[in-house]
Amino acid sequence: MPLDISQLVLDMQAAATSVLKADVTTFRGFSDRQLKAIAQQAELVRLGITTGQITDETREFFLDGLEDMALSFARTLRGLLIATVEKVWNALVGVLWKAISTATGLILPIPTLGADR
Amino acid sequence: MFLRPLAFVRLATLALWLLLSGCATQLAPAYDRAVVDGLNAATVETMALLAGVSAGTTQASFPVREDRYNQLIGRLEALALLAGARPVPKNKVTDTINSLLAERGGPPLDDDGSTAPSVHAIKKIAETVTKLRDTDRKQGVNAFEAMAFKGQIAIYLDQAITYENFLQR
């Protein structure tokens, strides 16, 4: 039985969109929280240094912390994106393998990322 | 905000490319319940400690808190080890993703791709608690500094918790 290419494309789009929509919600929430928190921390450090409430003992530590927090945020966001690519891959493979199994009548094991070849 | 329609297409295209090229590669570390549970427990412990110093401390009363600081730092460092023990493969796939992301803005990130980002965040939490302890021991911590320590720790905690929970896929 031939594959219904149009339906297959629609199914793959739906699978990918489902993953992306859910994950983008997470990205947005995380980014909003982080950007707001880092901005507030920057203002807190500025104010503390200006008023002398952040002492010489901790001033450099907090300034270095701001720089590192921003970089760490970017790395975390990238990590989330990489995990999403993996999820999309698995979703697409699931759709493809199901279609092929149905068309051929064969039961094909769905490959998963992480399975070495 | 970060994923516009073009980005959706790029991610989907990359995933399709992975599919067609037959790259059977793990892109992100495995979800580890022990790491998540440890992180949750450490979060509660950290916030409780921060609440205890939020009004400021004096050097004289530091011995009362010292054991608690040390236990928390030890727990966090152990958690960083546990989280970092999972392999994160570095390969052409992640390099390709990095290139795509770098194209989207700013210079590429020069990081160690062999560890999960949460490991760095947990280590920084441990470093921040260590700095809090050392400052407390040396001169006490005023309420403003306590607030700044809490702000920094909360940001790193959010990064670690969000990433580790996201790995449940």
Side-chain angles (χ1 to χ4, degrees):
Chain A
M1 183 174 77
L3 287 174
D4 182 342
I5 300 297
S6 299
Q7 187 58 49
L8 185 55
V9 169
L10 287 175
D11 290 346
M12 288 170 71
Q13 282 176 341
T17 303
S18 172
V19 171
L20 289 171
K21 272 187 179 171
D23 286 4
V24 164
T25 302
T26 301
F27 296 162
R28 283 197 176 132
F30 173 66
S31 299
D32 288 349
R33 286 196 313 273
Q34 283 280 302
L35 294 176
K36 197 175 291 180
I38 291 172
Q40 285 172 345
Q41 181 73 4
E43 169 58 13
L44 192 68
V45 171
R46 182 205 65 77
L47 183 64
I49 291 173
T50 305
T51 60
Q53 293 179 92
I54 284 183
T55 62
D56 290 346
E57 184 65 26
T58 56
R59 185 168 52 210
E60 288 305 315
F61 177 78
F62 284 127
L63 288 172
D64 290 346
L66 283 174
E67 185 182 349
D68 186 81
M69 273 183 278
L71 183 59
S72 184
F73 161 64
R75 285 174 177 166
T76 304
L77 194 59
R78 185 181 61 174
L80 297 177
L81 286 166
I82 289 171
T84 294
V85 170
E86 184 187 301
K87 286 158 75 174
V88 170
W89 191 95
N90 281 324
L92 293 178
V93 166
V95 170
L96 277 177
W97 256 238
K98 186 180 172 192
I100 293 170
S101 293
T102 303
T104 61
L106 298 172
I107 299 173
L108 300 171
I110 297 176
T112 56
L113 282 171
D116 293 333
R117 289 182 180 179
Chain B
M1 180 167 64
F2 282 89
L3 281 179
R4 289 168 300 209
L6 181 59
F8 271 66
V9 171
R10 281 187 164 186
L11 269 178
T13 304
L14 179 61
L16 190 58
W17 172 76
L18 288 172
L19 187 71
L20 296 175
S21 63
C23 296
T25 313
Q26 187 174 348
L27 303 183
Y31 174 78
D32 188 335
R33 183 81 206 179
V35 173
V36 172
D37 288 346
L39 202 48
N40 289 339
T43 300
V44 173
E45 200 177 326
T46 304
M47 286 302 162
L49 185 141
L50 290 168
V53 302
S54 62
T57 67
T58 60
Q59 187 184 14
S61 63
F62 172 75
V64 176
R65 295 178 294 280
E66 184 171 14
D67 282 351
R68 205 167 169 200
Y69 279 128
N70 292 340
Q71 282 176 14
L72 178 56
I73 292 164
R75 180 191 283 262
L76 288 165
E77 288 176 345
L79 192 56
L81 278 177
L82 184 64
R86 294 165 301 175
V88 182
K90 183 166 174 59
N91 51 45
K92 287 183 179 177
V93 175
T94 49
D95 288 343
T96 303
I97 293 167
N98 290 344
S99 301
L100 282 173
L101 292 171
E103 279 176 23
R104 288 181 51 77
L109 299 171
D110 55 339
D111 72 330
D112 174 11
S114 63
T115 54
S118 52
V119 175
H120 175 79
I122 297 168
K123 283 180 180 172
K124 296 306 286 190
I125 297 164
E127 280 180 31
T128 307
V129 176
T130 301
K131 181 66 178 176
L132 171 60
R133 179 198 64 188
D134 294 347
T135 307
D136 194 0
R137 176 193 287 135
K138 186 174 180 183
Q139 63 186 32
V141 178
N142 64 47
F144 197 96
E145 283 177 311
M147 193 161 47
F149 277 115
K150 183 178 179 180
Q152 181 160 315
I153 287 169
I155 288 167
Y156 284 123
L157 274 174
D158 186 21
Q159 292 172 0
I161 291 168
T162 300
Y163 182 76
E164 288 298 333
N165 281 315
F166 197 76
L167 292 179
Q168 191 171 24
R169 56 203 190 274

